[in-house]
């Protein structure tokens, strides 16, 4: 696990610092039981232990994905915007850049290029697997 500090990316911040915690996939994989269950979705790590009993789709499907990347199964179900909003409260950090894989299923070869992660000043720029900018807290994610 690693924590990286970064300042506000728009430069208009009040000097407030935020940090992101990176988890290795190896570490996530250990959280695979009802006692502690973590999932990876789109490069982000979620501790969904307290959500297990509340999931409208049941705990079984979550246990099947425990400790692993559940992005595809989550998208296959066609979860609502509400479900995506709920996710935020379980977010605990990002997958370590060295463990990031390009998202598969894209027919566009340009999207299959290996993901890059780099630091520009105090801002972490990271491939999100999509050709668009995405602002998350004070980080800019791009491909
Ligand atoms: C923490 C992550 C997740 C959250 C917050 C979440 C949330 C929800 C919510 C709110 C619903 C109700 C329907 C909707 O609003 O879309 C739902 C249904 C469902 N979810 Fe999840 N879900 C998560 C992960 C997963 C995963 C990884 C799977 C894996 C297959 C899954 C499978 C299902 C299924 C099968 C249903 C029932 C769909 C139906 O009855 O039509 N969910 N989930």
């Amino acid at each position: 696990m690693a924590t990286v500090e970064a300042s506000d990316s728009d430069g208009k911040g009040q000097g407030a610092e935020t940090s992101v915690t990176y988890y290795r996939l190896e570490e996530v994989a250990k959280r695979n039981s009802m006692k502690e269950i973590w999932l990876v979705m789109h490069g982000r790590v979620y501790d969904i232990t307290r959500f297990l009993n509340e999931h409208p789709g049941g705990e079984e499907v979550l246990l099947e994905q425990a400790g692993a990347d559940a992005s595809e199964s989550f998208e296959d179900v066609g979860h609502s915007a509400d479900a995506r909003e709920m996710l935020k409260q379980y977010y605990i950090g990002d997958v370590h850049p060295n463990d990031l894989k390009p998202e598969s299923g894209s027919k566009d070869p340009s999207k299959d290029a290996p993901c890059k992660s780099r630091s520009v000043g105090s801002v972490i720029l990271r491939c999100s697997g999509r050709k668009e900018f995405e602002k998350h807290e004070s980080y800019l994610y791009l491909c």
Side-chain angles (χ1 to χ4, degrees):
M1 171 170 57
T3 303
V4 176
E5 301 286 336
S7 304
D8 211 352
S9 62
D10 63 13
K12 292 180 199 153
Q14 316 287 305
E17 298 236 320
T18 184
S19 65
V20 63
T21 304
Y22 290 111
Y23 295 98
R24 302 306 304 242
L25 290 181
E26 192 185 20
E27 205 174 331
V28 177
K30 291 179 199 160
R31 274 62 179 216
N32 62 0
S33 67
M34 287 189 80
K35 212 174 125 207
E36 202 179 14
I37 173 167
W38 291 8
L39 290 183
V40 169
M41 262 177 286
H42 304 298
R44 293 180 192 163
V45 182
Y46 299 90
D47 178 348
I48 57 158
T49 312
R50 62 199 158 93
F51 178 64
L52 204 54
N53 297 326
E54 296 166 23
H55 183 225
E59 58 183 37
E60 223 164 86
V61 286
L62 296 183
L63 283 165
E64 272 168 26
Q65 306 290 327
D69 190 327
S71 314
E72 212 176 312
S73 343
F74 183 81
E75 297 304 339
D76 283 352
V77 172
H79 281 92
S80 65
D82 279 354
R84 285 163 205 282
E85 194 59 33
M86 284 169 79
L87 260 183
K88 293 180 185 169
Q89 60 189 296
Y90 305 109
Y91 170 81
I92 54 167
D94 285 3
V95 172
H96 192 282
N98 291 356
D99 284 346
L100 280 175
K101 289 172 246 154
E103 304 244 333
S104 58
S106 161
K107 296 268 183 283
D108 179 351
S110 67
K111 291 188 181 173
D112 290 334
C115 278
K116 291 193 176 81
S117 168
R118 59 200 162 98
S119 243
V120 176
S122 57
V123 179
I124 308 289
L125 299 175
R126 201 190 66 184
C127 170
S128 68
R130 284 173 297 221
K131 283 195 144 185
E132 62 192 21
F133 287 88
E134 194 180 320
K135 192 159 190 264
H136 174 69
E137 290 174 359
S138 67
Y139 294 90
L140 275 175
Y141 293 81
L142 78 166
C143 196

